[in-house]
Amino acid sequence: MRYPYTRPLAITMWDFSWLERRWAGAGYEDWDKALDELIERGYDAVRIDAYPHLIDADGEKEWTLIPRWNQQVWGAASLTRVSQVARHLVEFMSICKRKGIAIGLSTWFRQDEDDIRMNLKTPGDLARIWRSTLKVVEEAGLMDSLLFVDLVNEYPAKPWTPFLYAAAESDEVTRDSVISVKWMKESLAILRESYPDLNYTFSDYDYQGIESREVDYLDFLEPHLWLPTFTDWDQQVGYKYEAFESTGYDNLVKHAANVYYSNQSYWDGAIVDGIERIAAWSRRTGKPLITTECWGVVDWKDWPLLDWEMVKGMCELGVRTAASKGVWVAIATSNFCGPQFVGMWRDIHWHRKLTDIIHNSTLPEQMLNRGTN
């Protein structure tokens, strides 16, 4: 990988929150402060939404964004506006560079009121919007702090890639569908013509058939791993990812702790086994791993009767297990490492303990004593 690693990095996901959660008390209204707090907790890198479709369309325009949810606390929970996205991206990345924090760029293709993301019709369109965004980064002199480019978050999940389903004229698109692979290969080939020295991937959440899946066109794998990835956790606790009503969180309150602690060895074993399966995938393909979303539950928040201790325990197990495998170059501690998750964020000792584990782990063999490959 084309980044001068000297040790595994501790990374977090600030998704679209970095730009959308800037009202008083939302956590990101002062980037200097939030990033200093990130460093205080031992982190070296952050993955954010670059909004490439908005930058390509008009990087200076004010955009009205539609809420993806109001129950989860990533991003804005209601209608919001962002403006001068290109300038703000440069400003945020510049602060990160000054503080020595590496940046991974991704996108969730946030929906604006005109839904311009649906204008993506071909792999060439996907490459074009990223080329426009990378040009902004390049002209600002920030390429050396760019850790990677993840062209689409959790590709090809429909909430993030509705344009792909429209192009396929189907509601059934998987990671290994012909059209999915075509979009990945062709968009990457086009981007590499302009920016050949970057690390590219499409982050993943679907691991059916990975034992035979070919990934030679990716520079690294970005698997998102949680307890529900390999188990029936969601069914047992009654969680259905409700976006605009609280039933799911009510059920987490009622059932999550009882389900987990009544059979903790089973759930912990599932976390360990799932990580080993992904580590084996890395060994088979020779592709190093970066994971920015993990290790226990997918959704949690500061809410009555929701306890962070269970989540922190799951995540500590995940970090220790992943760090022991020698195939990760960057490891997150959870989905929730951001200032809006107050109960998780305020435990500085817990973060330092886990980031120390990450930093003291071993780089993948192909990267030792090399810096690049």
Side-chain angles (χ1 to χ4, degrees):
M1 294 181 70
R2 305 167 188 85
Y3 183 84
Y5 288 92
T6 58
R7 64 182 185 180
L9 301 180
I11 192 168
T12 187
M13 174 196 72
W14 282 4
D15 52 272
F16 37 95
S17 297
W18 73 276
L19 186 58
E20 295 181 30
R21 294 187 64 87
R22 305 205 72 197
W23 65 89
Y28 301 87
E29 56 270 41
D30 184 338
W31 289 331
D32 259 302
K33 179 177 182 291
L35 289 166
D36 282 344
E37 290 177 351
L38 189 71
I39 293 170
E40 181 183 17
R41 286 154 178 76
Y43 293 88
D44 317 279
V46 59
R47 171 176 171 250
I48 62 170
D49 193 333
Y51 300 85
H53 58 310
L54 303 186
I55 289 178
D56 178 69
D58 188 339
E60 297 302 309
K61 176 180 174 178
E62 180 177 81
W63 298 91
T64 299
L65 301 181
I66 310 299
R68 177 68 187 89
W69 40 53
N70 65 13
Q71 293 299 303
Q72 287 74 324
V73 291
W74 293 287
S78 185
L79 200 70
T80 194
R81 297 185 181 93
V82 296
S83 63
Q84 297 182 307
V85 177
R87 181 180 67 80
H88 283 124
L89 178 65
V90 167
E91 180 183 351
F92 183 85
M93 291 187 67
S94 297
I95 298 172
C96 288
K97 181 176 180 178
R98 171 163 50 84
K99 295 178 184 294
I101 298 172
I103 295 286
L105 296 182
S106 182
T107 185
W108 285 249
F109 280 103
R110 290 285 284 114
Q111 182 183 6
D112 71 285
E113 61 184 354
D114 297 319
D115 210 4
I116 67 162
R117 60 188 179 165
M118 298 306 292
N119 293 338
L120 274 70
K121 307 294 185 185
T122 69
D125 293 334
L126 180 58
R128 186 197 70 248
I129 65 169
W130 273 111
R131 190 166 52 211
S132 297
T133 302
L134 292 172
K135 184 179 179 181
V136 169
V137 175
E138 180 181 37
E139 290 178 347
L142 295 167
M143 295 295 275
D144 58 345
S145 61
L146 189 53
L147 184 63
F148 62 78
V149 178
D150 167 27
L151 272 68
V152 181
N153 174 64
E154 294 173 1
Y155 181 86
K158 193 172 185 179
W160 319 126
T161 59
F163 50 85
L164 180 66
Y165 289 74
E169 298 181 342
S170 172
D171 288 330
E172 297 294 330
V173 179
T174 68
R175 182 81 174 199
D176 298 318
S177 296
V178 172
I179 190 170
S180 293
V181 175
K182 172 183 171 67
W183 274 62
M184 285 190 284
K185 287 185 174 180
E186 292 187 7
S187 60
L188 289 173
I190 296 168
L191 262 184
R192 286 183 174 122
E193 291 177 359
S194 300
Y195 296 100
D197 295 325
L198 297 178
N199 300 309
Y200 296 105
T201 199
F202 285 76
S203 55
D204 206 343
Y205 71 105
D206 176 8
Y207 307 111
Q208 292 187 8
I210 60 169
E211 287 74 16
S212 59
R213 181 181 297 169
E214 294 306 321
V215 291
D216 57 296
Y217 47 89
L218 303 177
D219 292 309
F220 67 99
L221 307 177
E222 219 275 70
H224 299 166
L225 304 171
W226 305 277
L227 193 54
T229 305
F230 303 107
T231 71
D232 64 346
W233 168 266
D234 288 338
Q235 290 80 2
Q236 290 210 32
V237 299
Y239 191 70
K240 299 180 181 179
Y241 301 89
E242 294 87 346
F244 292 98
E245 54 97 5
S246 66
T247 302
Y249 280 97
D250 292 333
N251 284 337
L252 289 175
V253 167
K254 293 174 184 176
H255 305 303
N258 288 336
V259 169
Y260 178 67
Y261 288 118
S262 66
N263 200 0
Q264 183 174 351
S265 61
Y266 168 76
W267 299 115
D268 288 353
I271 292 172
V272 171
D273 290 347
I275 291 170
E276 177 52 46
R277 184 182 174 198
I278 297 302
W281 185 30
S282 172
R283 298 185 196 105
R284 180 183 71 79
T285 61
K287 300 292 182 180
L289 302 177
I290 292 176
T291 290
T292 65
E293 301 188 40
C294 50
W295 297 98
V297 296
V298 177
D299 289 342
W300 206 256
K301 61 181 177 179
D302 299 293
W303 224 48
L305 301 181
L306 288 186
D307 184 2
W308 283 105
E309 293 308 309
M310 182 189 76
V311 175
K312 288 191 289 186
M314 292 176 177
C315 290
E316 181 171 344
L317 174 63
V319 168
R320 290 185 181 278
T321 305
S324 73
K325 300 303 177 183
V327 290
W328 265 272
V329 297
I331 301 174
T333 57
S334 75
N335 283 8
F336 313 108
C337 178
Q340 74 268 45
F341 297 99
V342 177
M344 176 74 85
W345 190 245
R346 68 188 174 195
D347 192 346
I348 299 173
H349 172 75
W350 182 85
H351 288 280
R352 293 294 313 202
K353 177 174 65 173
L354 268 61
T355 54
D356 283 349
I357 291 169
I358 293 166
H359 291 150
N360 290 324
S361 63
T362 303
L363 284 168
E365 183 177 353
Q366 67 267 37
M367 299 181 64
L368 291 174
N369 304 314
R370 294 185 63 177
T372 61
N373 75 334

